[in-house]
């Protein structure tokens, strides 16, 4: 009986050890399993990353080959164009030389023309001065000529104008004197009227205050009689 008990206990112990050992091994295998899954995931990511990078590098490579081709085309095109451009350049230099010769010729001609132009302007100014001087002198001589020719009639006309002016002044003086004495007389009348009004006003005021005073006396007498009665 005792042996059986210890046997059971020992068997139980073995089974437990096996059980925990299995659990532990299972745990290790799971860790290995998930670690493998994780590593597999990383490797796949790395694999696709490499594929993408390879794709990009190939695109860059063929792009560079294409650009190199274009640049070579441009290079040989420039080498070819340099020849016509140089021809054009020397042609332009030669034409520039011709045009400068023409330009300085034109400047020199313009200088000559301007000298001629200002000379003509100055001569024209001198002639105009002489022309207006002649006109003015002619006008003075004509004035003197007609004055001499009509001196007598001019004097008679001037004498007549002065007499007209003289009698007109006498007549105007007469009118003004009449107006002056009339104003003096009217002034005299107005002053007389003014002093008459002042005097009449004094008289009326005297009468007015005298009436007021008499009225006051009568009122005094009236109320005194009433009171005494």
């Amino acid at each position: 009986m005792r042996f059986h008990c210890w046997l059971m206990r020992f068997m139980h112990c073995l089974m437990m050890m096996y059980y925990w050992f299995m659990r532990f091994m299972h745990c290790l295998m799971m860790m290995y399993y998930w670690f493998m899954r994780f590593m597999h995931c990383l490797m796949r990511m790395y694999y696709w990353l490499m594929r993408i990078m390879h794709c990009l590098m190939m695109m860059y490579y063929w792009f560079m080959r294409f650009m190199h081709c274009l640049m070579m085309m441009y290079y040989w095109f420039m080498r070819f164009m340099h020849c016509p451009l140089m021809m054009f350049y020397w042609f332009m230099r030669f034409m520039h030389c011709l045009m400068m010769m023409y330009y300085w010729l034109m400047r020199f001609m313009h200088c000559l023309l301007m000298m001629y132009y200002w000379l003509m302007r100055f001569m024209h100014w001198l002639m105009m001065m002489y022309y207006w001087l002649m006109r003015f002198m002619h006008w003075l001589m004509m004035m003197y000529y007609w004055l001499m020719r009509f001196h007598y009639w001019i004097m008679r006309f001037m004498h007549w104008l002065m007499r007209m002016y003289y009698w007109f002044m006498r007549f105007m003086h007469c009118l003004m004197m009449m107006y002056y004495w009339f104003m003096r007389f009217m002034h005299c009348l107005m002053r007389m009227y003014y002093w008459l009004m002042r005097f009449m006003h004094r008289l009326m005021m005297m009468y007015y205050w005298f009436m007021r005073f008499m009225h006051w006396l009568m009122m005094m007498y009236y109320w005194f009689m009433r009171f005494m009665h």
Side-chain angles (χ1 to χ4, degrees), residues 34-48:
W34 290 108
F35 175 68
M36 287 296 108
R37 281 190 68 171
F38 173 65
M39 292 305 285
H40 185 264
C41 179
L42 292 177
M43 288 186 289
R44 299 311 288 173
M45 286 158 72
Y46 176 74
Y47 166 72
W48 288 108

Side-chain angles (χ1 to χ4, degrees), residues 94-107:
F94 172 66
M95 291 304 285
H96 186 263
C97 180
L98 295 178
M99 287 186 289
M100 287 298 108
M101 287 158 69
Y102 175 73
Y103 168 70
W104 291 106
L105 175 68
M106 288 299 105
R107 280 189 69 167

Side-chain angles (χ1 to χ4, degrees), residues 4 19 27 44 62 87 96 129 162 170 189 196 209:
H4 182 266
Y19 168 69
C27 180
R44 299 311 288 173
W62 290 107
M87 289 158 69
H96 186 263
M129 295 274 283
M162 287 187 285
R170 282 189 65 169
L189 292 179
L196 176 66
W209 291 107

Side-chain angles (χ1 to χ4, degrees), residues 46-61:
Y46 176 74
Y47 166 72
W48 288 108
L49 176 66
M50 290 299 106
R51 282 189 67 171
I52 293 162
M53 294 303 285
H54 185 264
C55 178
L56 294 174
M57 288 186 288
M58 288 298 107
M59 286 158 71
Y60 176 73
Y61 168 71

Side-chain angles (χ1 to χ4, degrees), residues 39-227:
M39 292 305 285
H40 185 264
C41 179
L42 292 177
M43 288 186 289
R44 299 311 288 173
M45 286 158 72
Y46 176 74
Y47 166 72
W48 288 108
L49 176 66
M50 290 299 106
R51 282 189 67 171
I52 293 162
M53 294 303 285
H54 185 264
C55 178
L56 294 174
M57 288 186 288
M58 288 298 107
M59 286 158 71
Y60 176 73
Y61 168 71
W62 290 107
F63 175 68
M64 287 296 107
R65 282 188 66 172
F66 173 65
M67 291 304 284
H68 186 263
C69 178
L70 292 178
M71 288 186 287
M72 288 299 107
M73 287 159 70
Y74 175 73
Y75 168 71
W76 291 107
F77 176 67
M78 287 297 106
R79 281 188 65 171
F80 169 70
M81 288 306 286
H82 188 262
C83 179
L85 290 169
M86 287 299 108
M87 289 158 69
F88 176 72
Y89 168 70
W90 291 107
F91 174 68
M92 285 296 105
R93 282 188 66 169
F94 172 66
M95 291 304 285
H96 186 263
C97 180
L98 295 178
M99 287 186 289
M100 287 298 108
M101 287 158 69
Y102 175 73
Y103 168 70
W104 291 106
L105 175 68
M106 288 299 105
R107 280 189 69 167
F108 174 65
M109 294 303 285
H110 185 262
C111 181
L112 295 177
L113 291 170
M114 286 298 108
M115 287 159 68
Y116 175 73
Y117 167 70
W118 290 107
L119 176 68
M120 289 299 105
R121 280 189 69 168
F122 175 64
M123 295 303 285
H124 183 262
W125 177 72
L126 292 177
M127 288 186 288
M128 287 298 108
M129 295 274 283
Y130 176 73
Y131 168 68
W132 291 106
L133 176 68
M134 290 298 105
R135 282 189 67 168
F136 175 64
M137 295 302 286
H138 184 262
W139 177 74
L140 291 177
M141 290 185 288
M142 287 298 107
M143 293 279 283
Y144 178 73
Y145 168 72
W146 292 109
L147 181 66
M148 290 300 104
R149 193 163 168 189
F150 297 110
H151 179 263
Y152 172 70
W153 296 105
I154 293 167
M155 289 299 106
R156 283 194 63 173
F157 175 64
M158 294 298 284
H159 187 255
W160 177 75
L161 287 177
M162 287 187 285
R163 278 181 301 165
M164 293 281 285
Y165 175 73
Y166 169 72
W167 290 108
F168 175 67
M169 286 295 107
R170 282 189 65 169
F171 171 64
M172 291 303 286
H173 187 262
C174 178
L175 292 178
M176 287 188 287
M177 288 298 109
M178 287 160 68
Y179 174 73
Y180 168 69
W181 291 108
F182 174 67
M183 285 295 107
R184 283 188 67 169
F185 172 65
M186 291 302 286
H187 187 260
C188 180
L189 292 179
M190 286 188 288
R191 299 309 287 171
M192 287 159 68
Y193 176 72
Y194 168 71
W195 291 106
L196 176 66
M197 288 299 106
R198 280 187 70 167
F199 175 65
M200 294 300 285
H201 187 260
R202 296 299 186 275
L203 293 177
M204 287 188 288
M205 287 296 108
M206 288 158 67
Y207 174 73
Y208 167 68
W209 291 107
F210 175 69
M211 288 295 108
R212 281 187 70 166
F213 174 64
M214 292 304 285
H215 184 262
W216 178 74
L217 291 177
M218 287 186 289
M219 288 297 109
M220 295 276 283
Y221 174 74
Y222 167 70
W223 292 107
F224 177 69
M225 286 296 110
R226 277 189 69 174
F227 173 68

